[in-house]
Amino acid sequence: PIFGAVLYGIFWLTFTVGEAPMGWIEAGVGWLGALVTGFWPAGSESLLRSLLADGIIAGVGGLLVFLPNILLLFLGLALLEDSGYMARAAFLTDRAMHRFGLHGKSFLPMMTGFGCSVPGILATRTLENERDRLTTMLVLPLMSCGARLPIWMLLVPAFFPPAWRPPALWLIYAAGVALALLLALLLRRTILKGEDAPFVMELPPYRMPTLRSVVLKMLDRARLYLSKAGTVILGISILLWAATSFPKPSSYAVDGRIAAGDTVAATELASARAAEDLEFSVAGRTGRFLEPAFAPLGFDWKMVTAMIGAFAAKEVFVAQMGIVYSIADPEEGAEGLRARLARDYSPLVGVSLILFLLISAPCMATIAVTKRESGRWRWALLQLFGLSAIAWLVSFLVYQGGRLVA
């Protein structure tokens, strides 16, 4: 109970203290976008302008906004680790973990998974029993990693009132843990049956965390986050910009309505044309093609389009949603994106989307390291397709059940 309260406090801190620096970064990104856009005349259709404003600034800038939340989350985890409390939490949870087919030592890799699934899977090397290792590896992506935090920081404020945001974030993490335990129990009673290994672990003494150690861990996580934003996410943002920009339609349906006598404001005309551009593009066509498979979950083709690239890196989902919506209105920032999501989708759709992104297939790096650590592709593919199928089923039950109740 104390550990659960500590985690809740970390999530509360992430929202409250991180709110002000988030606003500063949002203002800076908006100022930079306006500055770059100002180099071209109003209404310009320059590809370079669109690439810089809609692709690079909207994509990467949309992720930089969440850097304060990343730092605060890892500040809390670093304090737990350096104080010696994390190892004691593993000891305290051993009995409960064994009830679900996991080992007490599985707690440490799973807690590491809250930062990133890749080092979490590597940390399973501390488990001597092969079945314990495989079970922990397969369920570890259900620990909501740091890459998903920008997604929650986008979706939770969009679909929950301020008073519910810290509890909602806590419940997201708790839901991932609960599902991981249930799935581990299922695995150990079916394809990974075997004897339980005893718990043997050295407990470090309690100590006061040093400021230098905590700051170094925070800065290291920030460096990794920024390096990914400047490399992988930048490249994916540019590719998505191209996929959402080409090909262009030869004519617009909205122009035909104007010719028939409808009066449309200049901003509405630009927005309507941008929407048609997106739907006609490669990304829009792909989203439309896959939309029927996700419609029972409440997702439209825009959401599907944004989820495609998230397989490369989870946090790319935020960049893609920013690019998708910035095409319709380049002046909107991160707050505008939340407002658009809240306007276009119901809270039920938001909950369904959160659950799907929490449970569904982990990123490519996680799949690759699972294959390397397990030694076989079958475990990596089971993780990939198994979690995706469970995500679809859970989101389907939540969305359709919510509709019946409503």
Side-chain angles (χ1 to χ4, degrees):
I2 295 173
F3 184 67
V6 169
L7 287 183
Y8 179 85
I10 293 174
F11 301 145
W12 178 85
L13 189 70
T14 299
F15 267 107
T16 55
V17 178
E19 192 69 27
M22 277 183 66
W24 302 335
I25 298 176
E26 285 174 357
V29 171
W31 173 83
L32 181 59
L35 177 65
V36 171
T37 303
F39 290 123
W40 284 267
S44 172
E45 297 183 359
S46 168
L47 287 178
L48 179 59
R49 172 189 176 278
S50 178
L51 171 62
L52 293 175
D54 300 331
I56 297 175
I57 295 176
V60 178
L63 286 170
L64 294 180
V65 166
F66 302 105
L67 181 61
N69 307 107
I70 297 290
L71 290 174
L72 288 169
L73 176 67
F74 286 110
L75 167 65
L77 294 179
L79 290 172
L80 292 181
E81 184 179 347
D82 289 0
S83 66
Y85 185 71
M86 196 78 83
R88 283 162 175 79
F91 173 76
L92 291 173
T93 56
D94 178 63
R95 178 179 296 179
M97 299 283 272
H98 267 93
R99 292 176 180 172
F100 293 95
L102 289 168
H103 194 275
K105 288 185 179 180
S106 299
F107 178 82
L108 294 179
M110 293 174 76
M111 282 301 300
T112 305
F114 282 124
C116 179
S117 297
V118 172
I121 291 174
L122 293 175
T124 60
R125 295 175 181 178
T126 59
L127 296 166
E128 295 83 5
N129 187 291
E130 185 66 18
R131 290 184 177 87
D132 288 335
R133 281 197 72 211
L134 286 173
T135 304
T136 306
M137 261 189 272
L138 291 175
V139 304
L140 195 142
L142 291 168
M143 303 298 104
S144 183
C145 63
R148 288 186 173 101
L149 183 59
I151 301 177
W152 311 146
M153 298 307 295
L154 171 69
L155 298 181
V156 170
F159 297 109
F160 293 91
W164 279 93
R165 290 171 188 174
L169 185 61
W170 187 88
L171 285 172
I172 290 171
Y173 281 75
V177 173
L179 188 57
L181 294 175
L182 293 175
L183 186 57
L185 181 62
L186 177 64
L187 289 171
R188 289 308 302 265
R189 291 189 175 181
T190 54
I191 61 177
L192 291 174
K193 282 184 178 179
E195 298 267 334
D196 289 338
F199 182 89
V200 180
M201 184 176 186
E202 180 181 355
L203 296 181
Y206 276 118
R207 58 174 65 89
M208 181 65 68
T210 64
L211 178 64
R212 181 175 182 273
S213 174
V214 171
V215 170
L216 284 176
K217 288 182 178 180
M218 288 175 58
L219 293 178
D220 184 57
R221 291 294 183 181
R223 179 183 60 80
L224 292 174
Y225 185 75
L226 292 175
S227 64
K228 185 182 285 189
T231 54
V232 176
I233 296 170
L234 175 61
I236 294 175
S237 295
I238 294 174
L239 288 176
L240 181 68
W241 167 81
T244 54
S245 300
F246 302 101
K248 298 284 188 181
S250 57
S251 61
Y252 295 95
V254 66
D255 293 345
R257 291 197 297 271
I258 294 174
D262 291 346
T263 57
V264 180
T267 55
E268 294 178 358
L269 175 62
S271 179
R273 284 181 172 178
E276 291 187 40
D277 282 338
L278 177 61
E279 191 168 359
F280 193 78
S281 68
V282 172
R285 294 180 186 186
T286 305
R288 283 288 189 190
F289 176 76
L290 297 174
E291 185 181 30
F294 292 90
L297 315 184
F299 306 161
D300 62 7
W301 63 275
K302 290 183 179 180
M303 286 183 173
V304 176
T305 300
M307 286 190 293
I308 293 172
F311 179 60
K314 286 296 181 182
E315 60 268 52
V316 171
F317 177 85
V318 177
Q320 292 182 338
M321 290 300 291
I323 291 171
V324 165
Y325 276 99
S326 68
I327 292 175
D329 189 354
E331 300 301 321
E332 286 188 343
E335 287 295 333
L337 179 56
R338 293 194 188 106
R340 291 291 295 273
L341 292 174
R343 186 198 70 185
D344 292 349
Y345 308 106
S346 67
L348 180 60
V349 173
V351 172
S352 177
L353 178 62
I354 287 172
L355 288 172
F356 187 86
L357 292 172
L358 171 67
I359 304 168
S360 63
C363 63
M364 292 187 297
T366 301
I367 299 298
V369 77
T370 298
K371 186 270 174 185
R372 189 178 71 180
E373 291 298 304
S374 65
R376 296 184 180 181
W377 271 111
R378 69 176 182 178
W379 298 116
L381 294 177
L382 175 63
Q383 185 184 68
L384 171 62
F385 294 108
L387 290 178
S388 299
I390 294 172
W392 193 97
L393 179 61
V394 170
S395 294
F396 174 82
L397 293 175
V398 168
Y399 180 68
Q400 297 298 335
R403 291 183 64 190
L404 290 175
V405 172

